[in-house]
């Protein structure tokens, strides 16, 4: 049986992740006390192939350090994976402000920012053992759902998923990126009046960037690098790798390059995805 524990700080998106796993056919249990986890696995081990359990600060044992001992007590036939979600403190504070929800530790008579710090410390026995870590600060719920699906399916198929992600440096570097390439030095279609309103997916921008020798060389060298080293990453039991290409706004150069790299690699392997995080954001 495959057991996935979904954990993370409050407001980081655990409910979104659990819904994705449920859609993928997982038997999902929300907020079970950690000390009941071994009993649950013994109960369902013969009935379900994939199980997901949500754990957070509300259902930790009195001593959070006991979590490691409890996880080690799981049946040896259980394949354990821990998905840990988090976000920057400022984003979590903003989310609580927008939803007007109470943080579960507020009842201890401490301010929200202090509650977030304490929560991070209490969850450390889980986060330190995480197999997958996702920072959700720059992700919409829809983007988070797609990302969780990519990561879980990558583990389920046993093959490494390669994700090419475009982004804009002005919106922040993706927290989950394994490799980051800076394309801001390349010719920028944004300053071409007739190209400004297009994106890197549109033919006029493709034609413009394809005609620039420096862009062609940049793409060729990145492509050569990963054609050489991806097999080595895969042999190291990696389930996914995220290659992020950034330009200023994330609308033209990075989009074109990420999509071109993805299309090139799709000729060699099936599990290649492309994602354009900031393509719809304003460039002004």
């Amino acid at each position: 049986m495959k057991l996935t524990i979904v954990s993370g700080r409050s407001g980081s998106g655990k409910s979104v992740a659990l819904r994705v796993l449920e859609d993928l056919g997982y038997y999902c249990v929300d907020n079970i006390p950690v000390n009941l986890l071994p009993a649950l696995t013994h109960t369902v081990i013969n009935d379900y192939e994939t199980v997901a359990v949500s754990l957070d600060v509300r259902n930790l044992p009195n001593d959070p350090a006991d979590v490691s001992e409890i996880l080690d007590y799981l049946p040896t036939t259980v394949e354990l994976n821990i998905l840990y979600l988090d976000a920057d403190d400022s984003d979590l504070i903003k989310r609580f402000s927008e939803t007007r929800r109470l943080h579960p530790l507020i009842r201890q008579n401490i301010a929200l920012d202090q509650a977030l710090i304490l929560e991070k410390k209490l969850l450390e026995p889980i986060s330190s053992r995480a197999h997958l870590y996702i920072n959700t600060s720059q992700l919409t719920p829809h983007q988070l759902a797609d990302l969780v699906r990519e990561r879980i399916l990558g583990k389920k198929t046993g093959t490494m998923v390669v994700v090419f992600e475009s982004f804009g440096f002005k919106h922040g570097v993706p927290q989950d990126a394994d490799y980051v390439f800076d394309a801001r030095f390349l010719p920028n279609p944004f300053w071409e009046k007739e190209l400004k309103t297009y994106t890197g997916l549109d033919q006029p921008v493709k034609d413009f960037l394809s005609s620039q020798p420096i862009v062609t060389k940049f793409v060729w060298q990145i492509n050569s690098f990963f054609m050489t080293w991806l097999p080595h990453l895969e042999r190291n039991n990696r389930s996914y790798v995220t290659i992020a290409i950034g330009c200023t706004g994330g609308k033209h150069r990075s989009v074109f390059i990420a999509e071109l790299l993805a299309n090139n690699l799709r000729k060699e392997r099936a599990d290649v995805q492309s994602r354009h995080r900031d393509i719809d954001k304003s460039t002004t």
Side-chain angles (χ1 to χ4, degrees):
M1 183 186 81
K2 293 183 179 181
L3 173 64
T4 297
I5 293 177
V6 180
S7 188
R9 289 198 287 177
S10 304
S12 61
K14 295 188 299 297
S15 59
V16 173
L18 202 64
R19 284 198 299 270
V20 170
L21 293 174
E22 190 171 25
D23 291 341
L24 291 175
Y26 280 66
Y27 175 73
C28 295
V29 181
D30 192 9
N31 287 327
I32 183 175
V34 178
N35 56 2
L36 294 181
L37 192 56
L40 172 69
T41 55
H42 279 95
T43 301
V44 303
I45 194 168
N46 294 321
D47 299 321
Y48 300 96
E49 292 184 3
T50 52
V51 176
V53 176
S54 174
L55 300 179
D56 59 31
V57 74
R58 293 171 294 175
N59 44 32
L60 292 177
N62 291 331
D63 184 356
D66 291 342
V67 170
S68 292
E69 183 177 342
I70 294 170
L71 295 180
D72 291 337
Y73 191 66
L74 294 175
T76 56
T77 54
V78 171
E79 180 184 331
L80 176 64
N81 285 294
I82 299 176
L83 168 60
Y84 191 85
L85 305 176
D86 204 356
D88 299 340
D89 288 0
S90 58
D91 290 296
L92 293 176
I93 291 172
K94 182 180 178 181
R95 291 173 188 177
F96 274 102
S97 176
E98 290 174 346
T99 61
R100 299 187 179 181
R101 293 176 54 205
L102 287 177
H103 189 280
L105 296 180
I106 288 293
R107 297 172 185 173
Q108 297 190 16
N109 252 348
I110 57 178
L112 178 56
D113 58 342
Q114 294 174 318
L116 291 172
I117 294 173
L118 176 59
E119 184 179 26
K120 186 173 186 177
K121 182 178 180 181
L122 292 174
L123 289 172
E124 189 171 328
I126 299 178
S127 64
S128 63
R129 296 183 57 154
H131 302 87
L132 298 174
Y133 172 89
I134 298 177
N135 186 302
T136 67
S137 287
Q138 294 287 341
L139 301 176
T140 65
H142 178 72
Q143 290 173 326
L144 174 58
D146 286 343
L147 190 57
V148 170
R149 194 174 295 108
E150 292 169 5
R151 299 296 189 254
I152 297 301
L153 287 176
K155 281 193 167 293
K156 187 174 180 181
T157 59
T159 58
M160 187 174 70
V161 176
V162 182
V163 181
F164 289 94
E165 179 175 11
S166 69
F167 72 95
F169 277 96
K170 67 185 294 184
H171 303 297
V173 177
Q175 296 290 329
D176 64 331
D178 297 296
Y179 298 89
V180 177
F181 293 90
D182 188 348
R184 287 177 292 183
F185 67 94
L186 300 175
N188 191 354
F190 180 82
W191 301 116
E192 303 294 326
K193 185 177 180 180
E194 67 278 10
L195 300 177
K196 184 175 181 179
T197 58
Y198 290 111
T199 74
L201 299 178
D202 295 315
Q203 196 61 46
V205 173
K206 291 181 181 180
D207 293 339
F208 172 81
L209 290 173
S210 297
S211 68
Q212 308 292 326
I214 192 173
V215 174
T216 303
K217 185 176 182 179
F218 185 64
V219 172
W220 179 82
Q221 290 188 334
I222 296 176
N223 186 71
S224 298
F225 177 85
F226 285 107
M227 289 296 287
T228 300
W229 297 112
L230 281 178
H232 296 275
L233 290 172
E234 194 158 32
R235 283 196 290 270
N236 197 36
N237 295 320
R238 291 287 294 269
S239 61
Y240 65 90
V241 61
T242 301
I243 302 160
I245 312 295
C247 60
T248 304
K251 186 176 180 180
H252 298 102
R253 293 166 291 182
S254 62
V255 172
F256 168 78
I257 293 170
E259 197 66 30
L260 183 57
L261 288 167
N263 287 335
N264 287 340
L265 194 58
R266 286 187 182 110
K267 299 173 185 176
E268 306 294 331
R269 54 189 301 139
D271 296 311
V272 179
Q273 301 170 3
S274 58
R275 181 170 61 243
H276 306 296
R277 192 191 71 181
D278 301 325
I279 192 171
D280 294 322
K281 293 181 180 178
S282 172
T283 55
T284 59

